[in-house]
Amino acid sequence: PPFIDFENIVIRKRLRRLLSFQRYLHSSRLLRGTPHLNPLHILDEDYTGQAKCMLEKVGMWNFDIFLFDRLTNGNSLVTLTFHLLNQYGLLELFQLDMMKLWRFLVMVQEDYHSLNPYHNAVHAADVTQAMYCYMREPKLAKSLTSCDLLLGLLAAATHDLDHPGVNQPFLIKTNHYLAKLYRNSSVLENHHWRSAVGLLRETGLFSHLPAEDGLQMERQLGSLILATDISRQNEYLGKFRTHLDQDDLCLSSAAHRHFILQMALKCADICNPCRPWELSKQWSEKVTEEFFHQGDIEKKHKLEVSPLCDSQSNSMENIQIGFMTYVVEPLFAEWGRFSDTRLSQTMLGHLGLNKASWGGLLQQEQGSSTEDLEASGCASVAMPTPAVAKSEPEPASAEPDAIATATDIGETNSQTDNKIIPQGSEES
Ligand SMILES: [Zn+2]
């Protein structure tokens, strides 16, 4: 059967999940120790000060999660999530056992695949930080309950748990057991949720709560994580738009607060293009690398190459511009209507600037291909003249074979019929 590599990974993963004590043994010695209130005690002293200093600005939109991950020695997800839960006083409020919480977060971080270029624990930490920024927005801050805050942060931290680094169409066409298990519907999101529930139960984090409360938490966690399925974006966006048009959102209603948390998590998940360029560009490179890697596996096994995954016919610039135009802009336009704040203006500002930057790189790209053709004597081939003459050497990331960015856009199959985002061929 094909996909021996992939199958091996899955088998190893299964063993690891069954023998969870092995996961415990594999965790870094530092993380296995008894937790202290301030998880930063585990860090090298040189970095402790800098990491602590960064946490003081954890609510800033230009927070550099890549730097924070280096300063915490690859423990950004554990350190950040623990800090935020602690800062909100949620450990005391919910009487959470610190040791159980610590073990839970370490296991969550370890069940993200560190070899995935994009869908790894740093992405989860980034989404958790963005979620925190959104939950601090005035409308939410004054209405969210402690339960909402706890769920919002836990959902963000676990929303891509055990992501295999390939998308749902890939799992379906390779007859992966997860696709069968979840009947080809929100396969990954269901798996992220059930993985999170598994760790909650394994660590007994909520075992002191009444059983019904624990189950309710698990259900709500699922409802938040399932909302991140990008192929269902239009459904959520339509509902959001209707509420905004009718001006009938009432955040004293638990159901409405839950819906807003779903929208906030969706925004946090695809907010990369709304970050400052230097951060945004790094995410773009990582997600494109993951897409093209999937495309390479598909080519190797003579499968149809998924949309956006073929490095020959897609560029990082095109993928980004399409993703921003058809997925990110519509979502953040509505979010900005809901929460018309400085943060929303900042995010929309970066979105516009970043899109213009990709557009500029794309023009340079096209300019350089024309030059290549001219140099090889093919100038008679009709090529559009680039609007902007190329004078500067291109940045490395704009080279044709450079790795590219967009979140789970490979799974999108309900977007408008544009050339940039091809229609998915799979049923969802
Ligand atoms: Zn995600």
Side-chain angles (χ1 to χ4, degrees):
F3 311 116
I4 289 164
D5 297 351
F6 189 68
E7 288 296 323
N8 273 337
I9 291 166
V10 170
I11 289 163
R12 270 212 314 275
K13 198 71 193 173
R14 272 185 193 147
L15 278 175
R16 203 163 145 239
R17 299 190 73 77
L18 289 172
L19 307 171
S20 64
F21 70 90
Q22 284 193 340
R23 173 169 49 205
Y24 187 70
L25 292 175
H26 283 143
S27 33
S28 89
R29 199 181 304 144
L30 286 171
L31 285 170
R32 265 185 280 142
T34 312
H36 294 242
L37 250 185
N38 181 358
L40 290 174
H41 77 280
I42 61 170
L43 302 175
D44 286 345
E45 263 181 45
D46 288 351
Y47 299 115
T48 309
Q50 293 175 68
K52 266 186 189 166
C53 190
M54 283 195 77
L55 281 179
E56 284 167 21
K57 296 182 175 180
V58 69
M60 305 276 285
W61 190 244
N62 61 2
F63 188 83
D64 186 343
I65 196 72
F66 300 110
L67 175 59
F68 186 69
D69 195 60
R70 289 194 294 276
L71 292 174
T72 55
N73 196 26
N75 293 303
S76 55
L77 184 57
V78 173
T79 315
L80 183 98
T81 312
F82 191 95
H83 172 82
L84 294 176
L85 292 170
N86 194 34
Q87 179 174 295
Y88 274 128
L90 296 170
L91 280 76
E92 294 78 27
L93 266 166
F94 289 92
Q95 293 286 295
L96 299 179
D97 180 299
M98 200 187 300
M99 189 65 180
K100 286 180 182 173
L101 176 62
W102 188 255
R103 284 195 63 222
F104 172 75
L105 293 176
V106 169
M107 285 159 77
V108 166
Q109 184 176 273
E110 295 208 332
D111 276 359
Y112 278 96
H113 301 201
S114 58
L115 293 180
N116 285 349
Y118 184 86
H119 287 104
N120 52 44
V122 186
H123 165 63
D126 182 56
V127 172
T128 306
Q129 192 269 339
M131 190 68 178
Y132 174 65
C133 291
Y134 300 154
M135 295 197 306
R136 271 162 46 100
E137 289 284 75
K139 268 192 185 176
L140 285 83
K142 70 174 184 215
S143 51
L144 294 183
T145 64
S146 306
C147 204
D148 297 329
L149 296 171
L150 178 64
L151 277 166
L153 291 174
L154 290 184
T158 59
H159 84 282
D160 273 330
L161 195 53
D162 201 32
H163 196 295
V166 290
N167 61 16
Q168 169 172 303
F170 184 94
L171 296 179
I172 293 173
K173 66 187 165 193
T174 57
N175 297 312
H176 194 276
Y177 76 97
L178 287 175
K180 290 197 197 75
L181 181 60
Y182 297 117
R183 297 164 197 266
N184 299 350
S185 166
S186 296
V187 173
L188 286 168
E189 294 75 17
N190 272 299
H191 179 60
H192 305 321
W193 168 37
R194 299 318 301 185
S195 301
V197 167
L199 294 188
L200 281 174
R201 294 186 183 180
E202 190 174 335
T203 55
L205 185 62
F206 293 150
S207 61
H208 60 296
L209 301 177
E212 184 47 43
D213 291 0
L215 289 173
Q216 175 71 0
M217 295 282 237
E218 292 179 359
R219 276 195 297 270
Q220 294 205 37
L221 192 67
S223 164
L224 291 176
I225 294 174
L226 288 175
T228 63
D229 182 346
I230 203 81
S231 69
R232 293 180 62 193
Q233 161 129 329
N234 288 344
E235 193 183 312
Y236 285 91
L237 200 52
K239 192 175 161 190
F240 198 24
R241 207 170 269 145
T242 305
H243 276 306
L244 294 171
D245 289 345
Q246 298 175 351
D247 193 23
D248 63 357
L249 279 169
C250 175
L251 296 186
S252 57
S253 138
H256 283 190
R257 283 200 310 280
H258 185 76
F259 177 64
I260 290 305
L261 280 182
Q262 288 179 318
M263 296 313 296
L265 183 58
K266 286 177 61 55
C267 287
D269 193 25
I270 61 167
C271 74
N272 294 162
C274 303
R275 298 279 195 180
W277 172 251
E278 280 310 316
L279 297 171
S280 183
K281 184 166 69 91
Q282 292 183 66
W283 290 119
S284 302
E285 289 163 357
K286 288 169 190 299
V287 84
T288 312
E289 183 183 348
E290 196 167 300
F291 286 169
F292 289 176
H293 181 245
Q294 175 178 329
D296 291 344
I297 299 174
E298 289 166 338
K299 282 178 198 169
K300 187 173 153 194
H301 294 285
K302 312 239 180 312
L303 287 165
E304 191 192 340
V305 179
S306 297
L308 307 184
C309 293
D310 190 343
S311 57
Q312 298 302 110
S313 52
N314 292 282
S315 71
M316 177 154 59
E317 295 84 350
N318 270 322
I319 292 173
Q320 283 306 305
I321 293 171
F323 179 55
M324 290 165 138
T325 306
Y326 299 103
V327 183
V328 184
E329 279 174 1
L331 180 62
F332 280 85
E334 300 306 324
W335 181 263
R337 275 175 76 197
F338 166 71
S339 180
D340 188 8
T341 61
R342 213 174 107 184
L343 173 59
S344 292
Q345 296 310 316
T346 301
M347 293 194 296
L348 289 168
H350 286 306
L351 185 57
L353 288 170
N354 292 338
K355 190 171 160 183
S357 295
W358 289 119
L361 290 171
L362 191 62
Q363 285 190 332
Q364 285 185 12
E365 184 89 355
Q366 286 165 348
S368 72
S369 352
T370 309
E371 282 171 14
D372 291 347
L373 281 173
E374 282 164 356
S376 61
C378 297
S380 57
V381 178
M383 288 287 286
T385 313
V388 177
K390 180 180 166 254
S391 52
E392 299 282 308
E394 289 161 50
S397 62
E399 284 167 13
D401 58 348
I403 48 174
T405 282
T407 324
D408 299 314
I409 198 170
E411 294 160 33
T412 305
N413 55 12
S414 55
Q415 297 305 314
T416 38
D417 53 338
N418 61 86
K419 287 178 186 165
I420 300 171
I421 303 182
Q423 298 262 352
S425 53
E426 312 290 338
E427 291 293 318
S428 72

